[in-house]
Every structure is written in structure tokens, then in C-alpha cells.
Amino acid sequence: MTLRALLLAGTGEARALADAVSDIPDLHVTASLAGVTRAPVALPVTTRTGGFGGAGGLRDWLVAHRTDLVINATHPFAEQMQANALEACGALDLPCLRLLRPGWPPRPGWIHAATPGDTADALPQGARVLLTIGRKDLAPFHARPDLSCVLRTIEPVPGLPPHIAPMIARPPFTPDQERATMALLGVTHLVTKNAGGPGTAKLDAADALRLTTVVLDRPPPPPGPVVATVAEAVAWLHGKVAV
Ligand code: NAP
């Protein structure tokens, strides 16, 4: 019997997992993208795009597509999708695996923040800031016109105030590129989420330039099965197919 899996995607790990499981016999994987990136790299499995309409919409989708299990490989800070996946899978008694890459180990000098508001509060009056925290969570920075910010995102963000300048760029970046960007912009502070993963060039560049890095710490991990690597997720899936 074919096992039907929903892969909540939107990360490099999700792409790697889709690559790794696309040819497992008796497993049909549908990947799901939120649709926030206009030209996402194609995945080697059936792919759907767009929100489900909350936990209830996801539950309906899982039922309609006779889904047996869910792998949540979204970004570590995609908290709403995580909550929805847990609720929908809980209601249907489906297994829900969280693929959660490890966070970056803390570095000397980091200022840790628990909330986006705390990251803004950590910045001194007049700081020149490279913001790499995405399009959401910007309200505390809108409320700080004393700062001079550059917001780096992959897609344009509408409605930015004059003190938050947009910078559209798609990672990966090398440490040399990051150093050049930070030096050119004359930034004094880097603000980042502890996303984990390979994109540490900005951290290295900020350290090399002796900038202050403000880090939004990870939300707590979800209950239920959690793995840190694609290989572990593949092994978990093989175990499910073998049952
Ligand atoms: P979020 O706050 O957890 O989710 C917001 C809503 O977006 C969800 O309620 C859901 O809408 C929809 N959504 C999110 N991920 C989805 C998916 N894989 N498939 C279908 N719908 C999805 O998420 P977010 O932080 O906005 O991130 C959106 C996407 O960008 C995620 O896939 C995430 O992996 C990726 N991403 C996020 C970050 C970040 O820093 N948060 C960074 C890089 C990439 P409905 O309620 O309508 O179902």
C-alpha cells in the first residue's frame, strides 16, 4: 500500500528531503509551499502552493488527500505553520515529524533577544542596522525612527517607512560579500534570527568588522518527534513505509 505524506516545505532542508525521498517505493510525497517566494526552485515531488486556511483547512486537506503523515520542514521560526500542523495532525491522530535544523551556537558578544520587540529594544539610539529577520516582525522597527535600518529580504516588502531602506538580495552570500555589504552600508549592528544552517557568513562578517549582533533566539521546540537532519528524517520515513 502506498503511504501518502505531506511535506511542509520552504527551506533548503525540505528541498534536500524531497530529493532524498522522491524515489522511495510505496511513498507518495506532496510538498507544500506557502507561496511567499515568487519563483521558488522546483521540487522533485508533487507540489502545491499557498496556505491551507488555518489548522481546520489543513485538516480538511489531509483528509481529502488521504494523507498518512506529515513532515514539517518549514523554517525554525515558522511558528504558525508548526502550530497548525500539530493541531491538524492531533485532530486526525496522524504522525507529525518536525525537521528542525540546529540553531547556531552562541558567539561571544551576542545580544540575545526573546521577541522581535526585544531585538529593537537592544539597539541604541541612532544605530545603523542591517535587518535580516524577514518581512514579518517589523512593527518594533517601524516604531524606532531614530534608527537607520536596511532590511534585506528576498522579496520586496511593501509599506516600509523612510528609516527602513529595502535591500533585495537572494542568499547564499560569502563572508567577503557580507563584509563588503556591511562596510558599504556603514552598519553598526546586525539583527538576525537564530535560523541555524549554513548561512553563517553574515555572522562571520559582523564579527570580523566588530559589529554588535543581536540575535532573536529560537522558539521552543514542538512536542512530538523532532529530528535535526535530513538523513534522520529519511530514516524515519523508511521506518513508516516498512510498517
Ligand atoms: P508561518 O508564520 O508559520 O505561517 C503563516 C501562514 O503561512 C500559515 O498559517 C500558512 O497559512 C502559511 N504557510 C506557511 N508555511 C506553509 C507551507 N509550507 N505550505 C503552505 N502554507 C504555509 O510561516 P512564515 O514564517 O510566514 O513562513 C512562510 C514560509 O516561508 C514557510 O514555508 C517557511 O518555511 C518559509 N520561511 C520562513 C522564514 C522565517 O523566518 N519565518 C524564513 C525562510 C523561509 P494557512 O494558515 O492559510 O495554512
Side-chain angles (χ1 to χ4, degrees), residues 38 134-136 138 142 151-161 164-168:
R38 272 176 302 169
R135 71 196 190 288
K136 302 188 305 182
L138 292 175
H142 280 246
L151 172 68
R152 186 167 72 191
T153 54
I154 297 175
E155 301 291 340
V157 178
L160 294 179
I164 306 181
M167 178 181 179
I168 308 301

Side-chain angles (χ1 to χ4, degrees), residues 91-167:
L92 298 171
D93 201 20
L94 297 184
C96 182
L97 179 72
R98 182 60 164 125
L99 171 53
L100 197 59
R101 64 191 181 213
W104 295 313
R107 297 187 179 198
W110 273 8
I111 297 176
H112 292 271
T115 67
D118 292 343
T119 62
D121 289 347
L123 297 166
Q125 184 92 6
R128 186 152 174 81
V129 185
L130 178 59
L131 283 177
T132 62
I133 57 168
R135 71 196 190 288
K136 302 188 305 182
D137 305 324
L138 292 175
F141 295 92
H142 280 246
R144 286 288 305 273
D146 63 291
L147 301 174
S148 173
C149 301
V150 174
L151 172 68
R152 186 167 72 191
T153 54
I154 297 175
E155 301 291 340
V157 178
L160 294 179
H163 68 281
I164 306 181
M167 178 181 179

Side-chain angles (χ1 to χ4, degrees), residues 9 32 50-54 74-75 78-81 84 135-136 193:
S32 176
F52 296 92
T74 58
H75 191 270
E79 293 181 79
Q80 188 59 56
M81 194 66 248
N84 292 354
R135 71 196 190 288
K136 302 188 305 182
K193 295 172 173 172

